[in-house]
Amino acid sequence: MNVQDEIKVMNESADPYGYFASLSANEQRAIIAAVERARVTDINPQVAPFATAQSDPYRIYIQGLEMLSCIALVDVVSCGIANQAATTASMEAQNRFPGATSLHNGKGDAFRHCSWNALMTMRIGADAAERIATNHETVAQGPADETSMDLYNNAQGRFLGSAFASSGDEASALNQCALWASIGLLSTLS
């Protein structure tokens, strides 16, 4: 399988971090090199203006770059755990704060960032959680006000995760994030 096919399979797999970890060192290096080449030539918005944030090539590039950056900052296992925590946080946000407006810059978005960081902190520690969350905001490079909001909510989540870490009570940490989002203690733009 060529490297572009490997990248596509990895990004479409249920566990991209596990898939990457299962590859040989040579296959991993080939993927890293291909993602770096794509950043410079194929889908860099300055080089290829058609590659918008909504386009498939750009989305796949950002996912790959974020994954590889995460692995460089912590380790494959921690990145996989962070990815699972992000999935849980997203599902919880959709259930607790339904509505598209809430999930983008609203209370649902604030809850999602808080709960993602709380879960990561409880599962892999506050230091790794902070590195992963900050990497996410750096790679995605959203508008400054959204990034500022997300960084604040991420920090609040790590604070709560640390408070609940000894008990391991993830449900209570999520409930606290939901309460803080509901009463305005988390940052929103809407």
Side-chain angles (χ1 to χ4, degrees), residues 120-140:
M120 282 195 298
T121 298
M122 295 174 77
R123 295 174 184 177
I124 61 173
D127 182 56
E130 181 176 12
R131 283 187 273 158
I132 291 169
T134 302
N135 176 62
H136 170 75
E137 301 306 332
T138 302
V139 170

Side-chain angles (χ1 to χ4, degrees), residues 11-136:
N11 280 319
E12 292 173 352
S13 76
D15 182 10
Y17 296 95
Y19 184 86
F20 183 81
S22 74
L23 298 174
S24 71
N26 285 339
E27 290 169 322
Q28 290 177 354
R29 281 193 293 277
I31 287 174
I32 292 167
V35 168
E36 184 59 26
R37 275 192 311 276
R39 181 184 70 79
V40 174
T41 59
D42 297 340
I43 50 182
N44 183 326
Q46 282 75 38
V47 176
F50 65 85
T52 65
Q54 286 75 33
S55 72
D56 273 351
Y58 186 76
R59 182 185 52 76
I60 289 170
Y61 161 69
I62 289 297
Q63 288 172 341
L65 180 61
E66 184 173 353
M67 184 182 89
L68 297 174
S69 299
C70 180
I71 292 167
L73 289 170
V74 286
D75 57 79
V76 172
V77 173
S78 295
C79 293
I81 291 169
N83 190 51
Q84 292 168 346
T87 299
T88 299
S90 290
M91 291 184 334
E92 287 288 330
Q94 290 170 8
N95 291 334
R96 293 176 188 237
F97 297 91
T101 56
S102 174
L103 296 174
H104 181 73
N105 295 334
K107 291 180 179 186
D109 191 22
F111 167 81
R112 182 173 51 84
H113 281 269
C114 178
S115 59
W116 176 45
N117 278 264
L119 292 172
M120 282 195 298
T121 298
M122 295 174 77
R123 295 174 184 177
I124 61 173
D127 182 56
E130 181 176 12
R131 283 187 273 158
I132 291 169
T134 302
N135 176 62
H136 170 75

